[in-house]
């Protein structure tokens, strides 16, 4: 399995619904098939808006898009779409969150991988997106626990466990429009 970054634009011409399905061309099929059962991170490109990284989800399965030769649909596992309370920025202190988007001197790359709609995401980058920014998912959970006077720390494998717990909670509880 492999983690991915999937680009998503709110006004996309494709039939994407981030919590249900992601529409993509054959050129990304191998990478998306490798990610079945693993976590993906949604990302809004600079030209589409200010959000940066805005949610995680798990890919359940991939199927051909009916009536559209060369297009495929990544079906999102029900209950796994977890939007961040606050979007995670593309850059932290002027440096990209993903190593593949970073020049050797630490500056952002232009073109190439930056423009790919589907990108492989190393475990370290996945953890960085969820932990490093001041409004990251992990910091959001720490802040939530702090309201009860508790201090929350994560072991190295804790990020995966956090995502799994959030998935189970989403799957077994009603969405009443509140996350805290």
């Amino acid at each position: 399995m492999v983690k991915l970054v999937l680009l998503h634009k709110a006004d996309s011409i494709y039939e994407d619904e981030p919590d249900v399905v992601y529409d993509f061309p054959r050129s990304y099929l191998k990478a998306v098939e490798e990610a079945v059962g693993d976590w993906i991170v949604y990302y809004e490109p600079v030209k589409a808006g200010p959000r940066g990284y805005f949610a995680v989800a798990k890919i359940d399965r991939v199927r051909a898009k009916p009536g559209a030769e060369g297009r495929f649909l990544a079906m999102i596992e029900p209950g796994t779409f977890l939007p961040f309370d606050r979007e995670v920025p593309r850059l932290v202190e002027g440096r990209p969150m993903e190593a593949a988007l970073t020049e050797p001197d630490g500056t952002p790359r232009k073109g190439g991988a930056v423009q790919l709609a589907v990108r492989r995401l190393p475990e370290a980058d996945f953890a960085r997106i969820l932990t490093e920014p001041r409004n990251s998912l992990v910091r959001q959970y720490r802040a939530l626990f702090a309201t009860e006077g508790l201090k929350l720390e994560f072991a190295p494998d804790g990020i995966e466990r956090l995502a799994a717990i959030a998935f189970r909670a989403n799957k077994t509880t009603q969405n009443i429009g509140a996350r805290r």
Side-chain angles (χ1 to χ4, degrees):
M1 290 193 296
V2 64
K3 290 175 177 41
L4 298 176
V5 171
L6 300 182
L7 265 62
H8 173 74
K9 297 189 265 184
D11 61 348
S12 173
I13 62 170
Y14 304 109
E15 298 174 19
D16 295 340
E17 294 178 54
D19 59 335
V20 178
V21 64
Y22 185 79
D23 183 338
F24 65 95
R26 181 182 313 278
S27 59
Y28 298 120
L29 181 59
K30 182 178 180 194
V32 176
E33 285 179 332
E34 290 173 359
V36 169
D38 210 341
W39 292 98
I40 55 102
V41 179
Y42 282 105
Y43 175 85
E44 183 176 72
V46 173
K47 292 181 181 179
R51 293 195 298 178
Y53 304 94
F54 64 91
V56 294
K58 272 189 175 182
I59 296 176
D60 184 42
R61 65 190 183 289
V62 176
R63 64 182 181 93
K65 183 176 181 180
E69 182 69 27
R71 297 214 56 88
F72 295 84
L73 301 173
M75 307 308 295
I76 303 304
E77 189 172 324
T80 64
F81 179 77
L82 305 168
F84 301 152
D85 283 351
R86 295 182 189 97
E87 290 81 15
V88 174
R90 295 172 183 86
L91 305 173
V92 171
E93 297 176 3
R95 298 176 184 272
M97 296 296 291
E98 298 174 62
L101 305 183
T102 308
E103 293 288 354
D105 66 357
T107 60
R109 283 195 173 152
K110 300 199 183 333
V114 175
Q115 299 171 350
L116 294 175
V118 175
R119 301 191 294 263
R120 286 179 172 81
L121 185 66
E123 293 283 340
D125 289 352
F126 178 75
R128 186 170 182 226
I129 289 166
L130 296 181
T131 61
E132 191 169 303
R134 68 177 173 79
N135 59 346
S136 71
L137 185 60
V138 168
R139 289 188 186 190
Q140 291 174 37
Y141 273 91
R142 285 183 178 139
L144 175 64
F145 276 72
T147 64
E148 300 295 327
L150 301 170
K151 184 177 180 186
L152 184 62
E153 295 294 329
F154 291 94
D157 64 345
I159 305 305
E160 282 282 335
R161 298 279 300 139
L162 173 63
I165 291 166
F167 159 67
R168 280 197 310 277
N170 261 13
K171 193 173 186 176
T172 59
T173 59
Q174 268 189 316
N175 179 1
I176 58 170
R179 287 200 167 70
R180 291 189 194 185

